[in-house]
Amino acid sequence: MSRESANPRFNSLNIPFSMITDIRIRAFRALDDPETCLKFIQGHRRVLSIYGIENITTNTNDWMFNPAIFVVVVESVDGEKLYGGSRLQAADGIHELPIEEATGKLDSRIYDIVKRYAASGTAELSGLWNSKEVAGLGVGSLFPTRVAISIANQVGVTNIFSLCSPTTVRFNEWMGSSVLTSVGENGTFYYPKLDLIATAVLLKDVDTLPKAHARERDKVMFLRENPKCVVQEKSPFKNVYINVHYDLEILSANPHEFLLNSVTSDHIY
């Protein structure tokens, strides 16, 4: 992967970008790092409160005790500052995925869809957020999405659901996701508030990502082969660069842990 010379710029808050030249993106099972999980919860809640959102189904502390949840965090290299992150929750046959909790009462078809895909290992990408310090740089939104997909092979899932805001739909499309048109109103729901729209998407063939943009597929495959590395990344939205210290090896992960083979996974939409 090529390394380009750093270009000092300013972010959307007029903070000199040189002040945020290095970040770390780390992945772990939620049970393995409760302290960081609490930081994640606090940061996510602060962001939600800015938009007056309090009723997101995963806006609780419960998930940090769920062994089926894996966390991606964007943080300072020393781990003191958390800038954002995401969660990858594997379907374990016990806990509902966030998309089921959020939309099941609106459209019960989601339950059967998740159940069918769970046979070959399914998960959901959720809890995506970023702080103001990195707003507009992509490191709190695109990067955690990319990384969550890159760790899917460690978790052992072959497809990933997501309930996206209008902003993050495009990131999932870059990864090769398709709108799940068989639920809601052609895949959309009024959630988490009546004046907000969420779109259900599904990413199939996570192992090979045949529908992903070549750039994103190459980056995901690189991270799978090099879970611990330092890469100079360019913001997708600004001509700025940042050194990303990736630490994505999840020692407690088992790629056979979440294969629910009691159901059949058919192509259903």
Side-chain angles (χ1 to χ4, degrees):
M1 183 170 291
S2 64
R3 297 176 61 88
E4 303 173 74
S5 60
N7 187 354
R9 297 283 179 172
F10 290 80
N11 65 18
S12 60
L13 297 180
N14 291 322
I15 298 173
F17 189 73
S18 58
M19 292 177 62
I20 314 175
T21 58
D22 290 75
I23 61 169
R24 179 170 64 180
I25 300 184
R26 182 165 56 96
F28 57 90
R29 191 191 292 259
L31 290 179
D32 295 340
D33 192 344
E35 181 179 352
T36 302
C37 286
L38 287 173
K39 288 183 180 179
F40 185 110
I41 291 167
Q42 293 165 0
H44 194 194
R45 285 179 176 170
R46 281 196 296 270
V47 172
L48 291 175
S49 66
I50 293 173
Y51 296 97
I53 299 172
E54 307 293 341
N55 64 331
I56 282 185
T57 53
T58 55
N59 187 18
T60 69
N61 290 14
D62 297 344
W63 62 261
M64 63 182 287
F65 305 106
N66 184 344
I69 290 184
F70 299 83
V71 186
V72 174
V73 291
V74 181
E75 59 188 2
S76 58
V77 176
D78 62 9
E80 293 297 316
K81 178 71 174 179
L82 205 63
Y83 297 120
S86 63
R87 296 192 301 270
L88 188 69
Q89 178 174 340
D92 60 1
I94 302 170
H95 303 89
E96 289 186 348
L97 294 182
I99 195 170
E100 295 178 280
E101 293 184 37
T103 70
K105 292 181 180 178
L106 303 173
D107 190 337
S108 62
R109 289 177 292 182
I110 191 64
Y111 298 120
D112 286 336
I113 293 172
V114 170
K115 184 178 180 181
R116 292 191 184 194
Y117 280 101
S120 55
T122 197
E124 180 174 353
L125 171 62
S126 66
L128 188 67
W129 68 276
N130 63 264
S131 65
K132 289 183 177 180
E133 289 95 327
V134 294
L137 295 176
V139 299
S141 47
L142 174 60
F143 287 19
T145 298
R146 182 189 295 154
V147 167
I149 293 169
S150 77
I151 65 171
N153 64 321
Q154 297 184 63
V155 177
V157 298
T158 61
N159 45 81
I160 298 175
F161 291 88
S162 189
L163 194 60
C164 305
S165 69
T167 302
T168 57
V169 167
R170 60 177 166 173
F171 299 148
N172 283 269
E173 289 176 342
W174 292 352
M175 301 298 170
S177 296
S178 299
V179 176
L180 196 61
T181 57
S182 55
V183 296
E185 186 65 32
N186 290 319
T188 63
F189 297 87
Y190 288 106
Y191 179 83
K193 300 195 301 180
L194 289 178
D195 59 343
L196 295 177
I197 293 179
T199 302
V201 302
L202 175 63
L203 175 62
K204 298 182 184 179
D205 303 313
V206 171
D207 289 344
T208 56
L209 300 173
K211 295 183 178 181
H213 187 288
R215 174 198 63 226
E216 295 303 327
R217 182 170 56 250
D218 289 347
K219 286 181 179 293
V220 168
M221 297 308 174
F222 177 85
L223 292 174
R224 286 179 182 171
E225 294 175 4
N226 303 274
K228 292 189 176 184
C229 61
V230 181
V231 180
Q232 189 175 76
E233 301 278 17
K234 180 182 180 298
S235 166
F237 312 114
K238 300 177 184 293
N239 189 32
V240 292
Y241 298 83
I242 191 165
N243 297 317
V244 182
H245 301 245
Y246 290 102
D247 185 2
L248 309 182
E249 186 176 3
I250 307 172
L251 297 179
S252 65
N254 176 357
H256 305 292
E257 185 175 357
F258 300 107
L259 297 178
L260 305 183
N261 293 313
S262 61
V263 292
T264 58
S265 181
D266 300 323
H267 183 79
I268 57 174
Y269 78 100

PDB file of all heavy atoms in Angstrom, residues 24-47:
ATOM      1  N   ARG A  24      -5.077   5.321  16.442  1.00  0.00           N
ATOM      2  CA  ARG A  24      -5.040   3.860  16.469  1.00  0.00           C
ATOM      3  C   ARG A  24      -6.458   3.348  16.260  1.00  0.00           C
ATOM      4  O   ARG A  24      -7.417   3.893  16.813  1.00  0.00           O
ATOM      5  CB  ARG A  24      -4.491   3.355  17.812  1.00  0.00           C
ATOM      6  CG  ARG A  24      -4.461   1.822  17.904  1.00  0.00           C
ATOM      7  CD  ARG A  24      -3.697   1.356  19.136  1.00  0.00           C
ATOM      8  NE  ARG A  24      -4.349   1.766  20.366  1.00  0.00           N
ATOM      9  CZ  ARG A  24      -3.867   1.483  21.587  1.00  0.00           C
ATOM     10  NH1 ARG A  24      -2.723   0.825  21.696  1.00  0.00           N
ATOM     11  NH2 ARG A  24      -4.508   1.892  22.666  1.00  0.00           N
ATOM     12  N   ILE A  25      -6.592   2.309  15.440  1.00  0.00           N
ATOM     13  CA  ILE A  25      -7.873   1.632  15.281  1.00  0.00           C
ATOM     14  C   ILE A  25      -7.674   0.205  15.775  1.00  0.00           C
ATOM     15  O   ILE A  25      -6.832  -0.530  15.258  1.00  0.00           O
ATOM     16  CB  ILE A  25      -8.376   1.647  13.831  1.00  0.00           C
ATOM     17  CG1 ILE A  25      -8.557   3.095  13.354  1.00  0.00           C
ATOM     18  CG2 ILE A  25      -9.701   0.892  13.722  1.00  0.00           C
ATOM     19  CD1 ILE A  25      -9.143   3.224  11.958  1.00  0.00           C
ATOM     20  N   ARG A  26      -8.450  -0.145  16.766  1.00  0.00           N
ATOM     21  CA  ARG A  26      -8.256  -1.406  17.480  1.00  0.00           C
ATOM     22  C   ARG A  26      -9.558  -2.198  17.491  1.00  0.00           C
ATOM     23  O   ARG A  26     -10.646  -1.623  17.557  1.00  0.00           O
ATOM     24  CB  ARG A  26      -7.791  -1.079  18.899  1.00  0.00           C
ATOM     25  CG  ARG A  26      -7.489  -2.253  19.782  1.00  0.00           C
ATOM     26  CD  ARG A  26      -6.697  -1.801  21.012  1.00  0.00           C
ATOM     27  NE  ARG A  26      -7.377  -0.760  21.760  1.00  0.00           N
ATOM     28  CZ  ARG A  26      -8.140  -0.995  22.836  1.00  0.00           C
ATOM     29  NH1 ARG A  26      -8.333  -2.241  23.268  1.00  0.00           N
ATOM     30  NH2 ARG A  26      -8.709   0.006  23.489  1.00  0.00           N
ATOM     31  N   ALA A  27      -9.446  -3.528  17.435  1.00  0.00           N
ATOM     32  CA  ALA A  27     -10.618  -4.401  17.496  1.00  0.00           C
ATOM     33  C   ALA A  27     -10.445  -5.387  18.645  1.00  0.00           C
ATOM     34  O   ALA A  27      -9.339  -5.873  18.902  1.00  0.00           O
ATOM     35  CB  ALA A  27     -10.789  -5.159  16.180  1.00  0.00           C
ATOM     36  N   PHE A  28     -11.550  -5.694  19.334  1.00  0.00           N
ATOM     37  CA  PHE A  28     -11.496  -6.619  20.457  1.00  0.00           C
ATOM     38  C   PHE A  28     -12.896  -7.152  20.746  1.00  0.00           C
ATOM     39  O   PHE A  28     -13.896  -6.559  20.340  1.00  0.00           O
ATOM     40  CB  PHE A  28     -10.924  -5.937  21.705  1.00  0.00           C
ATOM     41  CG  PHE A  28     -11.680  -4.707  22.139  1.00  0.00           C
ATOM     42  CD1 PHE A  28     -12.737  -4.783  23.039  1.00  0.00           C
ATOM     43  CD2 PHE A  28     -11.339  -3.455  21.631  1.00  0.00           C
ATOM     44  CE1 PHE A  28     -13.430  -3.641  23.431  1.00  0.00           C
ATOM     45  CE2 PHE A  28     -12.033  -2.304  22.010  1.00  0.00           C
ATOM     46  CZ  PHE A  28     -13.084  -2.406  22.916  1.00  0.00           C
ATOM     47  N   ARG A  29     -12.971  -8.270  21.431  1.00  0.00           N
ATOM     48  CA  ARG A  29     -14.263  -8.767  21.913  1.00  0.00           C
ATOM     49  C   ARG A  29     -14.680  -7.903  23.094  1.00  0.00           C
ATOM     50  O   ARG A  29     -13.845  -7.574  23.956  1.00  0.00           O
ATOM     51  CB  ARG A  29     -14.159 -10.229  22.330  1.00  0.00           C
ATOM     52  CG  ARG A  29     -15.530 -10.892  22.587  1.00  0.00           C
ATOM     53  CD  ARG A  29     -15.371 -12.248  23.243  1.00  0.00           C
ATOM     54  NE  ARG A  29     -14.777 -13.243  22.380  1.00  0.00           N
ATOM     55  CZ  ARG A  29     -15.460 -14.196  21.734  1.00  0.00           C
ATOM     56  NH1 ARG A  29     -16.782 -14.247  21.844  1.00  0.00           N
ATOM     57  NH2 ARG A  29     -14.829 -15.079  20.989  1.00  0.00           N
ATOM     58  N   ALA A  30     -15.949  -7.530  23.149  1.00  0.00           N
ATOM     59  CA  ALA A  30     -16.420  -6.606  24.192  1.00  0.00           C
ATOM     60  C   ALA A  30     -16.048  -7.080  25.592  1.00  0.00           C
ATOM     61  O   ALA A  30     -15.641  -6.278  26.443  1.00  0.00           O
ATOM     62  CB  ALA A  30     -17.927  -6.415  24.072  1.00  0.00           C
ATOM     63  N   LEU A  31     -16.158  -8.372  25.843  1.00  0.00           N
ATOM     64  CA  LEU A  31     -15.870  -8.901  27.179  1.00  0.00           C
ATOM     65  C   LEU A  31     -14.410  -8.705  27.581  1.00  0.00           C
ATOM     66  O   LEU A  31     -14.088  -8.697  28.771  1.00  0.00           O
ATOM     67  CB  LEU A  31     -16.202 -10.398  27.240  1.00  0.00           C
ATOM     68  CG  LEU A  31     -17.678 -10.795  27.181  1.00  0.00           C
ATOM     69  CD1 LEU A  31     -17.796 -12.309  27.222  1.00  0.00           C
ATOM     70  CD2 LEU A  31     -18.459 -10.171  28.328  1.00  0.00           C
ATOM     71  N   ASP A  32     -13.535  -8.553  26.589  1.00  0.00           N
ATOM     72  CA  ASP A  32     -12.105  -8.489  26.874  1.00  0.00           C
ATOM     73  C   ASP A  32     -11.618  -7.112  27.322  1.00  0.00           C
ATOM     74  O   ASP A  32     -10.490  -6.991  27.805  1.00  0.00           O
ATOM     75  CB  ASP A  32     -11.301  -8.920  25.635  1.00  0.00           C
ATOM     76  CG  ASP A  32     -11.534 -10.378  25.269  1.00  0.00           C
ATOM     77  OD1 ASP A  32     -11.985 -11.139  26.142  1.00  0.00           O
ATOM     78  OD2 ASP A  32     -11.269 -10.748  24.106  1.00  0.00           O
ATOM     79  N   ASP A  33     -12.438  -6.077  27.151  1.00  0.00           N
ATOM     80  CA  ASP A  33     -11.986  -4.724  27.503  1.00  0.00           C
ATOM     81  C   ASP A  33     -13.169  -3.868  27.963  1.00  0.00           C
ATOM     82  O   ASP A  33     -13.614  -2.956  27.262  1.00  0.00           O
ATOM     83  CB  ASP A  33     -11.295  -4.067  26.304  1.00  0.00           C
ATOM     84  CG  ASP A  33     -10.548  -2.795  26.670  1.00  0.00           C
ATOM     85  OD1 ASP A  33     -10.801  -2.241  27.753  1.00  0.00           O
ATOM     86  OD2 ASP A  33      -9.717  -2.329  25.855  1.00  0.00           O
ATOM     87  N   PRO A  34     -13.700  -4.151  29.150  1.00  0.00           N
ATOM     88  CA  PRO A  34     -14.861  -3.399  29.637  1.00  0.00           C
ATOM     89  C   PRO A  34     -14.604  -1.912  29.825  1.00  0.00           C
ATOM     90  O   PRO A  34     -15.509  -1.093  29.650  1.00  0.00           O
ATOM     91  CB  PRO A  34     -15.208  -4.083  30.970  1.00  0.00           C
ATOM     92  CG  PRO A  34     -13.962  -4.816  31.366  1.00  0.00           C
ATOM     93  CD  PRO A  34     -13.295  -5.217  30.089  1.00  0.00           C
ATOM     94  N   GLU A  35     -13.369  -1.535  30.150  1.00  0.00           N
ATOM     95  CA  GLU A  35     -13.058  -0.122  30.366  1.00  0.00           C
ATOM     96  C   GLU A  35     -13.249   0.675  29.076  1.00  0.00           C
ATOM     97  O   GLU A  35     -13.862   1.756  29.076  1.00  0.00           O
ATOM     98  CB  GLU A  35     -11.626   0.033  30.872  1.00  0.00           C
ATOM     99  CG  GLU A  35     -11.227   1.472  31.159  1.00  0.00           C
ATOM    100  CD  GLU A  35      -9.811   1.590  31.689  1.00  0.00           C
ATOM    101  OE1 GLU A  35      -9.183   0.554  31.983  1.00  0.00           O
ATOM    102  OE2 GLU A  35      -9.326   2.732  31.800  1.00  0.00           O
ATOM    103  N   THR A  36     -12.748   0.148  27.957  1.00  0.00           N
ATOM    104  CA  THR A  36     -12.929   0.844  26.689  1.00  0.00           C
ATOM    105  C   THR A  36     -14.381   0.811  26.252  1.00  0.00           C
ATOM    106  O   THR A  36     -14.868   1.774  25.638  1.00  0.00           O
ATOM    107  CB  THR A  36     -12.029   0.222  25.602  1.00  0.00           C
ATOM    108  OG1 THR A  36     -10.668   0.296  26.034  1.00  0.00           O
ATOM    109  CG2 THR A  36     -12.172   0.962  24.288  1.00  0.00           C
ATOM    110  N   CYS A  37     -15.092  -0.261  26.559  1.00  0.00           N
ATOM    111  CA  CYS A  37     -16.523  -0.325  26.237  1.00  0.00           C
ATOM    112  C   CYS A  37     -17.282   0.813  26.913  1.00  0.00           C
ATOM    113  O   CYS A  37     -18.166   1.431  26.307  1.00  0.00           O
ATOM    114  CB  CYS A  37     -17.114  -1.669  26.669  1.00  0.00           C
ATOM    115  SG  CYS A  37     -16.652  -3.065  25.624  1.00  0.00           S
ATOM    116  N   LEU A  38     -16.941   1.113  28.155  1.00  0.00           N
ATOM    117  CA  LEU A  38     -17.607   2.204  28.860  1.00  0.00           C
ATOM    118  C   LEU A  38     -17.310   3.548  28.203  1.00  0.00           C
ATOM    119  O   LEU A  38     -18.183   4.404  28.080  1.00  0.00           O
ATOM    120  CB  LEU A  38     -17.176   2.217  30.329  1.00  0.00           C
ATOM    121  CG  LEU A  38     -17.754   1.099  31.203  1.00  0.00           C
ATOM    122  CD1 LEU A  38     -17.118   1.127  32.587  1.00  0.00           C
ATOM    123  CD2 LEU A  38     -19.273   1.227  31.320  1.00  0.00           C
ATOM    124  N   LYS A  39     -16.069   3.746  27.759  1.00  0.00           N
ATOM    125  CA  LYS A  39     -15.723   4.967  27.035  1.00  0.00           C
ATOM    126  C   LYS A  39     -16.519   5.069  25.744  1.00  0.00           C
ATOM    127  O   LYS A  39     -16.996   6.140  25.360  1.00  0.00           O
ATOM    128  CB  LYS A  39     -14.226   4.987  26.707  1.00  0.00           C
ATOM    129  CG  LYS A  39     -13.305   5.209  27.882  1.00  0.00           C
ATOM    130  CD  LYS A  39     -11.859   5.282  27.385  1.00  0.00           C
ATOM    131  CE  LYS A  39     -10.876   5.496  28.501  1.00  0.00           C
ATOM    132  NZ  LYS A  39      -9.478   5.541  27.992  1.00  0.00           N
ATOM    133  N   PHE A  40     -16.674   3.939  25.055  1.00  0.00           N
ATOM    134  CA  PHE A  40     -17.449   3.876  23.821  1.00  0.00           C
ATOM    135  C   PHE A  40     -18.887   4.294  24.093  1.00  0.00           C
ATOM    136  O   PHE A  40     -19.461   5.127  23.355  1.00  0.00           O
ATOM    137  CB  PHE A  40     -17.400   2.435  23.281  1.00  0.00           C
ATOM    138  CG  PHE A  40     -18.066   2.228  21.950  1.00  0.00           C
ATOM    139  CD1 PHE A  40     -17.303   1.972  20.826  1.00  0.00           C
ATOM    140  CD2 PHE A  40     -19.452   2.247  21.819  1.00  0.00           C
ATOM    141  CE1 PHE A  40     -17.896   1.753  19.589  1.00  0.00           C
ATOM    142  CE2 PHE A  40     -20.054   2.030  20.593  1.00  0.00           C
ATOM    143  CZ  PHE A  40     -19.282   1.786  19.481  1.00  0.00           C
ATOM    144  N   ILE A  41     -19.484   3.725  25.131  1.00  0.00           N
ATOM    145  CA  ILE A  41     -20.883   4.033  25.467  1.00  0.00           C
ATOM    146  C   ILE A  41     -21.054   5.509  25.774  1.00  0.00           C
ATOM    147  O   ILE A  41     -21.995   6.166  25.300  1.00  0.00           O
ATOM    148  CB  ILE A  41     -21.336   3.167  26.660  1.00  0.00           C
ATOM    149  CG1 ILE A  41     -21.440   1.688  26.228  1.00  0.00           C
ATOM    150  CG2 ILE A  41     -22.672   3.653  27.210  1.00  0.00           C
ATOM    151  CD1 ILE A  41     -21.571   0.725  27.392  1.00  0.00           C
ATOM    152  N   GLN A  42     -20.149   6.071  26.561  1.00  0.00           N
ATOM    153  CA  GLN A  42     -20.234   7.484  26.921  1.00  0.00           C
ATOM    154  C   GLN A  42     -20.112   8.380  25.693  1.00  0.00           C
ATOM    155  O   GLN A  42     -20.865   9.340  25.522  1.00  0.00           O
ATOM    156  CB  GLN A  42     -19.151   7.815  27.950  1.00  0.00           C
ATOM    157  CG  GLN A  42     -19.360   7.144  29.297  1.00  0.00           C
ATOM    158  CD  GLN A  42     -18.127   7.179  30.179  1.00  0.00           C
ATOM    159  OE1 GLN A  42     -17.080   7.720  29.792  1.00  0.00           O
ATOM    160  NE2 GLN A  42     -18.220   6.594  31.362  1.00  0.00           N
ATOM    161  N   GLY A  43     -19.144   8.081  24.826  1.00  0.00           N
ATOM    162  CA  GLY A  43     -18.964   8.886  23.619  1.00  0.00           C
ATOM    163  C   GLY A  43     -20.143   8.786  22.682  1.00  0.00           C
ATOM    164  O   GLY A  43     -20.590   9.795  22.116  1.00  0.00           O
ATOM    165  N   HIS A  44     -20.668   7.575  22.504  1.00  0.00           N
ATOM    166  CA  HIS A  44     -21.815   7.368  21.620  1.00  0.00           C
ATOM    167  C   HIS A  44     -23.038   8.133  22.131  1.00  0.00           C
ATOM    168  O   HIS A  44     -23.756   8.780  21.362  1.00  0.00           O
ATOM    169  CB  HIS A  44     -22.117   5.876  21.525  1.00  0.00           C
ATOM    170  CG  HIS A  44     -23.043   5.510  20.417  1.00  0.00           C
ATOM    171  ND1 HIS A  44     -23.665   4.283  20.329  1.00  0.00           N
ATOM    172  CD2 HIS A  44     -23.500   6.218  19.335  1.00  0.00           C
ATOM    173  CE1 HIS A  44     -24.419   4.236  19.253  1.00  0.00           C
ATOM    174  NE2 HIS A  44     -24.339   5.407  18.641  1.00  0.00           N
ATOM    175  N   ARG A  45     -23.256   8.088  23.426  1.00  0.00           N
ATOM    176  CA  ARG A  45     -24.409   8.787  24.001  1.00  0.00           C
ATOM    177  C   ARG A  45     -24.296  10.298  23.832  1.00  0.00           C
ATOM    178  O   ARG A  45     -25.298  10.979  23.590  1.00  0.00           O
ATOM    179  CB  ARG A  45     -24.552   8.428  25.484  1.00  0.00           C
ATOM    180  CG  ARG A  45     -25.122   7.038  25.709  1.00  0.00           C
ATOM    181  CD  ARG A  45     -25.243   6.697  27.171  1.00  0.00           C
ATOM    182  NE  ARG A  45     -25.869   5.394  27.344  1.00  0.00           N
ATOM    183  CZ  ARG A  45     -25.939   4.749  28.499  1.00  0.00           C
ATOM    184  NH1 ARG A  45     -25.412   5.288  29.595  1.00  0.00           N
ATOM    185  NH2 ARG A  45     -26.521   3.568  28.573  1.00  0.00           N
ATOM    186  N   ARG A  46     -23.089  10.820  23.965  1.00  0.00           N
ATOM    187  CA  ARG A  46     -22.908  12.259  23.771  1.00  0.00           C
ATOM    188  C   ARG A  46     -23.285  12.669  22.353  1.00  0.00           C
ATOM    189  O   ARG A  46     -23.949  13.684  22.136  1.00  0.00           O
ATOM    190  CB  ARG A  46     -21.459  12.659  24.076  1.00  0.00           C
ATOM    191  CG  ARG A  46     -21.126  12.786  25.542  1.00  0.00           C
ATOM    192  CD  ARG A  46     -19.824  13.537  25.752  1.00  0.00           C
ATOM    193  NE  ARG A  46     -18.689  12.822  25.187  1.00  0.00           N
ATOM    194  CZ  ARG A  46     -17.954  11.935  25.855  1.00  0.00           C
ATOM    195  NH1 ARG A  46     -18.236  11.658  27.115  1.00  0.00           N
ATOM    196  NH2 ARG A  46     -16.922  11.348  25.274  1.00  0.00           N
ATOM    197  N   VAL A  47     -22.861  11.855  21.381  1.00  0.00           N
ATOM    198  CA  VAL A  47     -23.179  12.165  19.985  1.00  0.00           C
ATOM    199  C   VAL A  47     -24.684  12.056  19.740  1.00  0.00           C
ATOM    200  O   VAL A  47     -25.282  12.918  19.086  1.00  0.00           O
ATOM    201  CB  VAL A  47     -22.396  11.233  19.043  1.00  0.00           C
ATOM    202  CG1 VAL A  47     -22.870  11.407  17.602  1.00  0.00           C
ATOM    203  CG2 VAL A  47     -20.906  11.511  19.135  1.00  0.00           C
TER     204      VAL A  47
END
